[in-house]
Amino acid sequence: MLDTTSPPKAHILNQPDAPSIAERLFATRDRSMELAAPLTPEDMVVQAMEDASPTKWHLAHVTWFFETFVLKPYLPGYRIFDDSFNFCFNSYYESQGARHPRPKRGLLTRPSIECVMAYRAHVDEGLRTLFEQRADMAPDVARLIEIGINHEEQHQELLLSDILALFDANPLRPAYQEAADINDTEPQLPVRWITHGGGIVKIGHSGEGYSWDNENPAHEALIHPFAIASRLTTNAEWLEFILDDGYRTPSLWLADGWTTVNREGWNAPLYWHQSDGGWMQMSLQGSRPVSPAEPVAHLSFYEAEAFARWSGKRLPTEFEWEFAAKAAGEMKNGARSGALRPHRTPDTGSANAPQQLFGDLWQWTASAYLPYPGYRPPLGAIGEYNGKFMVSQHVLRGSSYATPPDHSRTTYRNFFYPHQRWQFAGLRLASDHV
């Protein structure tokens, strides 16, 4: 059973009242179903690669989270929907026992889609009963529901990234959904370099509002003077890198990156395909010509670092990024915008603040994913959520066009392995020369 000992205050949301958290919970549950609505039952079962998961698995796993950590311990008389689901839909919680291997989730043709939908309805009914019986909503229960909401929102973004991987592997390259047209004819805006004098700055979450444990504790960090690009790197700039033999010049690459490039045969970002008319790019809107002014997407850390070196620049550290982002505006092209692709840089914004820090694409940083000074993972199973992955990965900051709004904040730390490319990740350059 999940240990419900309260973590330090900075790790949790300020205590919500039951009606508001209930409204947000069921809106989140409904949003997952909306994202799955354009898919066929066949789309929901297949797994494109080992890193991705089928839509059916995502829908079941987030439901398993609520059943396992909320309903089982806190709803008297709750009936488990199916005892085998703990094995089928546990992700990586060692405390919850054995589980189906991640690379083989696409083999779970049973339980059926209909059964998973019945599972979601069963758990949602249990959650409604819990709210009826516990209108006062004790802090430990509210905390777990809040974690579950944020967890399901993370899987909503993963669902879209995994569907894109699946549809790219389909020779028909179908579109997930049509979206509003974007003007692809306007030229890219020139890069402005925004300088910062550095100093000792506060990094990490302040304790107000929700945060994951890896955003804490807040602490001081020394930042040297630096400059950061006003916008994300574009497809046009990446095409210059390709034409200049960027993928074939070993001096640009870290050793592991160069090994990966040659082993995998990389010669362009993920989802780029050459045709008689030039480069095409697979997106959630289907296959379309690469738009020069659009931010370049689906890069590995290795590619982002090599491009920065080719440019005579570097990637920002996560502390530099967070410091620069304190002056940024809100997310414009996020999950609720309906764009389903990154936007070209808008010709607006402050001359002293970078654009596209939130929305469009996650941004690789030069920082390894490590604990902050004084970090302690929460007790119990929730301690497995972030802390045990703090090795061999790199931090991404910002948010993407598929990121739910509540996950767009200056302190949010996303993280992936340096070779992974299927996420909605791009880059922003930085420089020591100010």
Side-chain angles (χ1 to χ4, degrees):
M1 181 180 295
L2 182 66
D3 188 316
T4 57
T5 303
S6 295
K9 183 180 178 183
H11 291 184
I12 65 174
L13 182 75
N14 292 341
Q15 177 63 25
D17 59 68
S20 65
I21 197 172
E23 181 178 340
R24 289 179 51 245
L25 167 63
F26 293 112
T28 301
R29 300 286 288 163
D30 290 344
R31 176 61 177 164
S32 295
M33 297 304 297
E34 291 170 5
L35 292 174
L39 305 174
T40 68
E42 293 82 2
D43 293 331
M44 296 190 200
V45 177
V46 184
Q47 181 176 13
M49 58 178 178
E50 291 186 357
D51 285 332
S53 297
T55 297
K56 182 179 75 172
W57 188 91
H58 285 298
L59 296 175
H61 166 70
V62 295
T63 304
W64 168 88
F65 187 98
F66 285 112
E67 180 177 66
T68 301
F69 297 137
V70 178
L71 295 180
K72 283 174 63 177
Y74 293 108
L75 180 59
Y78 176 74
R79 176 182 59 83
I80 297 295
F81 183 82
D82 189 314
D83 289 333
S84 69
F85 281 17
N86 189 66
F87 179 83
C88 293
F89 301 122
N90 179 5
S91 54
Y92 51 71
Y93 293 91
E94 299 286 350
S95 61
Q96 301 305 308
R99 58 204 173 277
H100 186 71
R102 177 175 180 172
K104 297 184 177 181
R105 289 172 183 168
L107 300 179
L108 288 170
T109 57
R110 303 293 177 91
S112 66
I113 295 292
E114 291 77 14
C115 185
V116 167
M117 297 307 180
Y119 180 38
R120 288 183 65 90
H122 174 83
V123 168
D124 285 350
E125 181 181 357
L127 289 168
R128 290 190 177 91
T129 301
L130 180 68
F131 278 103
E132 291 170 0
Q133 293 184 3
R134 304 187 64 152
D136 56 340
M137 196 54 63
D140 53 352
V141 183
R143 176 175 71 92
L144 291 169
I145 292 174
E146 187 65 44
I147 291 171
I149 291 170
N150 281 267
H151 169 253
E152 182 151 352
E153 287 176 332
Q154 285 183 322
H155 277 269
Q156 290 168 357
E157 182 164 3
L158 286 168
L159 185 153
L160 291 175
S161 64
D162 294 354
I163 283 296
L164 177 54
L166 177 64
F167 283 3
D168 179 70
N170 186 316
L172 301 179
R173 297 211 168 97
Y176 162 76
Q177 197 173 51
E178 295 300 325
D181 290 336
I182 299 175
N183 187 347
D184 289 330
T185 61
E186 296 183 23
Q188 66 186 23
L189 294 179
V191 173
R192 292 181 291 105
W193 290 95
I194 299 168
T195 61
H196 296 278
I200 297 175
V201 301
K202 186 177 180 181
I203 296 296
H205 201 263
S206 66
E208 297 299 321
Y210 186 86
S211 69
W212 294 111
D213 58 281
N214 66 358
E215 300 173 56
N216 297 279
H219 62 285
E220 292 183 336
L222 173 63
I223 296 178
H224 296 282
F226 72 100
I228 194 166
S230 59
R231 59 162 173 79
L232 300 177
T233 297
T234 65
N235 288 328
E237 290 162 336
W238 201 269
L239 284 165
E240 293 178 22
F241 174 71
I242 293 174
L243 292 172
D244 198 34
D245 288 338
Y247 281 95
R248 296 191 292 272
T249 305
S251 60
L252 297 175
W253 296 81
L254 297 170
D256 287 348
W258 185 243
T259 298
T260 304
V261 166
N262 286 281
R263 182 182 65 243
E264 303 297 330
W266 291 351
N267 64 356
L270 185 64
Y271 305 140
W272 283 32
H273 307 277
Q274 282 187 300
S275 69
D276 293 340
W279 285 102
M280 302 290 289
Q281 179 178 14
M282 182 60 183
S283 72
L284 289 167
Q285 295 176 271
S287 184
R288 55 187 176 79
V290 167
S291 171
E294 189 173 292
V296 60
H298 299 291
L299 303 173
S300 67
F301 168 80
Y302 293 139
E303 289 167 291
E305 204 277 340
F307 179 90
R309 192 174 303 190
W310 173 80
S311 302
K313 307 297 182 182
R314 61 174 176 82
L315 298 179
T317 69
E318 65 166 320
F319 298 157
E320 290 170 338
W321 190 99
E322 183 173 329
F323 181 59
K326 293 182 186 299
E330 64 182 13
M331 175 168 61
K332 291 183 170 50
N333 181 23
R336 301 304 169 88
S337 71
L340 295 180
R341 58 188 279 196
H343 285 173
R344 66 179 296 277
T345 312
D347 192 10
T348 58
S350 167
N352 298 317
Q355 297 175 267
Q356 298 179 299
L357 283 162
F358 300 103
D360 292 311
L361 295 171
W362 291 97
Q363 295 144 58
W364 284 107
T365 73
S367 299
Y369 179 51
L370 296 171
Y372 284 167
Y375 170 81
R376 296 291 183 273
L379 299 175
I382 292 300
E384 297 189 61
Y385 200 88
N386 285 310
K388 71 181 184 181
F389 297 110
M390 292 176 171
V391 63
S392 303
Q393 305 199 55
H394 270 71
V395 174
L396 300 96
R397 290 301 195 104
S399 56
S400 82
Y401 64 86
T403 305
D406 288 345
H407 295 248
S408 178
R409 55 182 177 268
T410 58
T411 60
Y412 197 107
R413 303 176 78 200
N414 205 348
F415 54 94
F416 285 97
Y417 290 103
H419 68 277
Q420 292 176 316
R421 310 205 291 171
W422 95 109
Q423 287 305 316
F424 305 113
L427 80 150
R428 176 188 304 275
L429 295 174
S431 174
D432 294 322
H433 305 293
V434 297

